[in-house]
Amino acid sequence: RADLPRAGVFQCSITGLGFEVKSAVTITYRYDTWTRHLGEADREIWVPAGPLFHIEVQPGVVKAVHLPHFICLAEYVNTSLCSIAHFKSGEMSLERPTRVIAFSAVLENPSFSLLGVLWRRLRSALNSLPVHSLVLIFQQLSAANTTLHLYLIPDDNSVKQAIERQEMNWNSKFIPKPPPFRPLFFGCIYQVTTTEYAEITPETRLPFCYKSPKEQQLFVEIYIKNMAEEIGLFMTDTRDGIEVWRALLRSGKNSSPVRWALCLLVTAFLKKNKTRLCSRMGQLSTILMSLREANVLNSDEEEEVQGQDTSRKKNRVLLELVEKKGLEAQKQLYQILQKKDPYLIADLEKSS
């Protein structure tokens, strides 16, 4: 939900969705999934090129909408193949965008329904669309030794957020790394390798494709039995052997027994003081922002907390969400509370 205060151009920092409006207006929007609406016959002709949005707004106020896409225009792509899909009553209609710019397709004087960017497939060249992409790495905190999940996805925030939610349910920690340094192509296979011995399953080759947020995303699991001080990860295009991505992972406190002992103490502290934290914990907006920055909570979970009607309920929902995410998430919350409200923590520790 965006409460836009005046005429102007505004962009959502989470989704990349942008609006040019004539006056103050409230807009509500959420992600939807292509697989629910794009039929099999249409998928033979069109490929999703960005998230699908459900948008609600007062008619006539929006001058233009900027719908995010992940096609790399630096590669001299034919933008005439781009269309905006509308879905109403189960039927799809297509409209040419007013213009296509880097990272978004602009549609002026839009009508709203389910909207998203599609790109027409070229049957003569499967790999003709260069795509901005992301490599996401998560470490499973409850798994043996060092176990990583590596995903290769188009730069689509709806897909990224779905993966983050799934991995948090698996008690995983996000490890930020840069994206590939050249555009990738749907339909191609990319090889994952390491500088040290590691078991990569189900195989070292990872296909690059688009899957809607509700679908299970493809990933490889990287198991490192004895983590060295530093290990390199690489990805190459199997067509020509050219490297498209590299990153370094460095060992640190993550595997330390002392770290796990501290986490267990923190868990005991939060559990024992849950009732008092529900009634006394303040600065909720600041705490939520810190948890988002630490990748402990996502935007949906933050909204769930803020949607409660009393501060006590908000605190309780926050504590329960963090508790479900495991030891590392609880340690992060404890450290944030120590920094933001040291007197509360000191008083609770004294009484404990």
Side-chain angles (χ1 to χ4, degrees), residues 121-128:
R121 294 180 184 273
L122 290 179
R123 295 186 182 277
S124 60
L126 173 65
N127 305 322
S128 60

Side-chain angles (χ1 to χ4, degrees), residues 160 164 168 172 174 176 290-298:
K160 181 174 182 285
E164 288 173 342
M168 285 182 177
S172 300
F174 177 56
S290 298
L291 289 170
R292 276 290 303 280
E293 290 174 350
N295 293 302
V296 174
L297 295 182
N298 58 44

Side-chain angles (χ1 to χ4, degrees), residues 231-268:
I231 185 170
L233 298 178
F234 303 91
M235 197 176 295
T236 55
D237 191 328
T238 58
R239 296 174 302 171
D240 51 24
I242 293 178
E243 185 179 282
V244 298
W245 175 83
R246 76 173 74 95
L248 287 175
L249 290 179
R250 297 176 177 86
S251 64
K253 297 186 291 184
N254 286 346
S255 59
S256 167
V258 174
R259 166 188 165 275
W260 285 103
L262 289 172
C263 284
L264 291 171
L265 289 173
V266 165
T267 299

Side-chain angles (χ1 to χ4, degrees), residues 269 272-273 276-277 280 343-352:
F269 171 84
K272 184 172 184 178
N273 292 286
R276 282 179 283 188
L277 285 168
R280 295 178 61 184
Y343 295 106
L344 170 62
I345 295 300
D347 185 60
L348 292 177
E349 287 180 335
K350 183 178 179 181
S351 60
S352 296

